[in-house]
Amino acid sequence: MLGAEDINDSGMVVAEYHLKRVRYSHLIYMVSLLESFFEMSCENLAKIVGVQNTTTQLRGTKWFARRQFIEEYGKFDLPKDVWSDI
C-alpha cells in the first residue's frame, strides 16, 4: 500500500511470549507447592500413626498415591469432586 508504514510488532511478540512464560512459571510453582504440601502431610501423618516404609504404601501417580494414603491412614473420606479440581 502506498504511503503505509511498516509496523514493527516484534516487541509485542516478545511481550506476549514473556507474559505466557510468567503465567506458566506461576502455575508450575503452585503445583509444585501443592505437591510438597501433600508429601509433607503424608510424612507427618506417617509419623503420627507410626507407619514404617511409606514408600511401599504409595503406588500409582503422586496425586493418587498420596490421596489414598491420607484416606487410608488418616481415616479421612475426601470427596471425589474436591480432587477433580486438583
Side-chain angles (χ1 to χ4, degrees), residues 68-83:
Q68 187 178 19
F69 184 83
I70 290 171
E71 285 180 340
E72 184 176 335
Y73 290 100
K75 307 294 188 223
F76 291 106
D77 186 24
L78 302 171
K80 304 295 182 211
D81 59 336
V82 170
W83 285 91

Side-chain angles (χ1 to χ4, degrees), residues 41-54:
S41 298
C42 286
E43 288 174 5
N44 289 337
L45 179 61
K47 288 176 189 175
I48 291 168
V49 297
V51 177
Q52 300 294 327
N53 295 332
T54 57

Side-chain angles (χ1 to χ4, degrees), residues 57-70:
Q57 304 295 330
L58 301 176
R59 301 203 188 278
T61 65
K62 285 183 179 181
W63 298 100
F64 180 75
R66 285 178 174 57
R67 181 179 132 220
Q68 187 178 19
F69 184 83
I70 290 171

Side-chain angles (χ1 to χ4, degrees), residues 24-34:
Y24 293 154
S25 70
H26 283 98
L27 181 64
I28 290 169
Y29 174 73
M30 289 170 43
V31 169
S32 171
L33 191 62
L34 187 60

Side-chain angles (χ1 to χ4, degrees), residues 7-27:
I7 298 174
N8 182 357
D9 65 348
S10 62
M12 284 300 287
V13 172
V14 171
E16 288 175 12
Y17 174 81
H18 179 70
L19 284 174
K20 282 184 184 179
R21 290 295 172 206
V22 168
R23 284 186 200 124
Y24 293 154
S25 70
H26 283 98
L27 181 64

